[in-house]
Every structure is written in structure tokens, then in C-alpha cells.
Amino acid sequence: MSDENRTQAEKASSHGHTLRKDVLDPANLARAWKQVKANGGVAGIDGMETGDFPAFMREHWDRLRVKIEEGTYAPSPVRRVEIPKDGASGATRLLGIPTVLDRTIQQAIAQVLMPLLDPTFSEHSHGFRPGRSAHGAIDEMVREGAALEKSYGTCHVVDCDLAAFFDTVDHQKLMTRLRQRIRDPELLELILKYLKAGAILPGGNFEESQRGMPQGGPLSPLLGNLLLDELDGELEKRGHRFVRYADDFVILCTSLRAGHRIMQSISTYLADRLRLVVNGAKSQVVELKRASFLGFEIVRRKIRWTKKSRRKFKDRVRQITNRTRGHSPKTVIAELQVYVRGALHYYARGIPFAEIQELDRWVRRRVRLYHWKQWKRPKTRWRKLQSLGIGDEVRIAAGSHASHWRMSRNSVVQRAMSNAWLAQQGVPSLENQWKSIRYPNGPRAQKARTKG
């Protein structure tokens, strides 16, 4: 820990007695509620939606505040829900959803602790930290990998996968780390209550929380970083080049043999000191050019999204535009807009221009498919095609028995549902969004970069 970071840690301790008051400060709570509202999310076990929360607070907050101050407040158990795992057909993972009230209180705690704890974290940690991102983690891996290749002619990546990190966090170890940084017994007790709140399983049964923390609570990412900061310190002490984003981390080294030695040593350290398990089946040591990290890989010294990331993107678009969903095209397009905007914001830097054009055509075809399915009967298709300017060829297209997917690229259907018409309906242009992300300063910057 640097002298500056050590000063920050000491400051956190010296101000510990005011932390609970800071958490309950009206301005801090208002900011926490604003963040929770912006994040949205589904209801916890009490069924309360975010829209119902302001009225609830006006009626009950004075009483709840007294309970928190007296140390008698008991957080509600989280609601466990199953969500699909990326790239694993049929596999799911459990997500813990706190109530809106507990999400707001956790967010308020996180807002107070973040400026005290974050400055003490490693420079190689990028996940869930102000001013940092997954893209920054990727950039650091590229820089460090290039430096090793320049110096030694080769670079290998130790890709460690922590088995169910959020579900296996040891409460005693985490609280020990917290007590080293924060000296406010009442706030520490409240945090421990959140860790021990338990969960209501999908079947309705209650499950005690012997370990772990809910992946879905606003406080969990900060606590995860605090626990894994001990790992960061050990890696720095050993002189390793590494990059971490939340519970995903890679260590860069000069040979396959060194990589396996590091993998074994770090696995032992994690088990003995942090009581965490490295998933041997998913962890590996590979050359830099064969490594993937946070959905990206390095191809001929360029950052590209992985095949798995592309498949994940297309699978989600297929789900949204599934012709059997029964939603109106307007609803489907609105959902598509939200997903594409977020996905491209993350992946655009790793997608070549030719590929984004191909995906753009594919997305438009998926939307044409959805419209064609919605029109169903030949009479409806006839009417719709005529309204879109199709004349004599209406009979052939409307009465066709070809599959919906085949008709989505039929020349008549494409002319009727032209690119311009789809744009008017709100279908997002992947190409335009890609350009605005990759070249925010306009076409001239793109042209100059292409020449370079």
C-alpha cells in the first residue's frame, strides 16, 4: 500500500465514529435512492416495486431510522432467482435480490465506504470502481502482454476462474478485512446482518447464509473488491504482472512452465488465506494470442470480441425477436434498441467494420422475420405489402408457403420493409452506433485513423 493510500486508510479509521450518521444523512439516502431507481430491477421478497417505494418511505422511514440507530433493524432475506449462465445451455446461476428498502440502505452504505476504501485498492483492480472499467482492464492486459513479448519474445496468461466467488465468500475473513479499515462497530454490525440475512429459494424455503454475499446487492461489489485486495497485495509482493476485474483476473508470465507454477501457487494461497477455490476445469495457462478476458481477445495485436461474445449477442437478439413471443413489433423494437445500445457500448471496440455491417443486415432480417410472422394470414400480408408500395408481385409473396426465415430475405419483402422503413420504425442501426462509438469526433477522425 502506498503512503497516500495508507493515509486514506488511516483517515477512514479516524472518521469511523461518524460513518453510520453519514449513511443515514438525508442527502446520502436521497442519492442512494436515485441510484437504485435508475438501476431498476425486480421486487424482493416483499413484492414492493421501485414505484411504490417513495410512499412507503414517507410513512415508515422515521421508525426504520430509529431501528437502524438502535441496532435492532433486521434486513429482509434476499429473493433467489435463477438466471441462465452465459454460454452454458440449460445451466443457471442464483442471483440474490434484496428488497428495494435494503437495496437503498446498502447503496447508502456503499456511497460512504467507497471514497474511504477505494483509494487503498491496487492500481491493477478495475472492476466496480469510479473512473475504471472493463475496457481499462483489457488495455492494461494488452500493454503488459506487449511489454513481456518485447522483452522476452513470448507471453503466457494464467487465467484463473474462482468457483462461485460471491456464493463462497467467508464472512469471518471479510469482516476481519473490514475491521482493519473501518472502526464503527454499529455499521460493521449492520453489514454483518446483511451478510447473514439469508435467502428465500425459488421453491419458497428459507436458506441460512453461512457464507457468501448476494450477487445483486449494491454493497457486494465493494466488499468483493475489499476481500480480493488481499490477493492483489500478494501478487504485487511476488512481483507478478496481473490485471483484475472483480473476481476475474489474469496473471502474465514468460513461459508455460512458469504459468503452471504460478497457477498452483496462487490456488494454494487462495484456499489457505482467503478460503476461495480456483475452478481447475475453467482455469488455464495459454499464450497471449489464445487468451480471452472479459469477452475480448487479442488477434494480431488488435482487440477483438470473442466468438463466445458474438454468439451471446446473437442469441440475445434471437430471444428478443423470437417470432413466437406474441409481443407487438413496437415492443420488440424498443427492447432491441435498449439491448443493442448497451451491447455495442461494451463490444464496439472489438468488432471490425465489415462484421458490424454483416450484423446490421442480420438484425434487420430478424425484424423482417418478426413482422412477417405477425402478419400471419395471406390477406393481412397482402394488405400490408400493398400499403408499403408493392404492386403486382403482392399475390406471389402474400401466398407463399416458404418458411418465415426464407421470406425474410425475399426480394419483395425486403423492398416493402426497406432499410429506410425499418429505421422509421425504430430499428437500431448497428453501423451508425458503431461509428459514433469508435469515431466520436466524426468521419474525418475515422478517415485519418484508417490511413494511419
Side-chain angles (χ1 to χ4, degrees), residues 1-13 116-123 177 180-181 226 229-230 232-234 236-237:
M1 184 186 298
S2 67
D3 291 340
E4 180 181 355
N5 288 349
R6 194 180 308 280
T7 300
Q8 290 287 344
E10 292 171 354
K11 180 181 177 182
S13 295
L116 300 177
L117 297 178
D118 187 79
T120 70
F121 293 158
S122 168
E123 288 299 309
R177 294 285 293 173
Q180 291 171 349
R181 310 288 183 94
L226 176 62
D229 186 61
E230 186 169 335
D232 297 343
E234 181 65 20
E236 289 173 348
K237 178 181 173 183

Side-chain angles (χ1 to χ4, degrees), residues 33-48:
W33 160 239
K34 184 177 180 180
Q35 185 62 52
V36 169
K37 183 180 179 181
N39 291 340
V42 298
I45 63 167
D46 60 358
M48 183 187 300

Side-chain angles (χ1 to χ4, degrees), residues 142-156 241 252-254 287-289 298 301:
V142 172
R143 288 196 306 271
E144 293 294 339
L148 281 179
E149 288 184 330
K150 183 177 181 180
S151 299
Y152 299 95
T154 183
C155 175
H156 282 71
R241 298 175 186 241
L252 292 84
C253 59
T254 57
E287 290 181 277
L288 180 64
K289 63 183 179 181
I298 302 172
R301 299 184 181 277

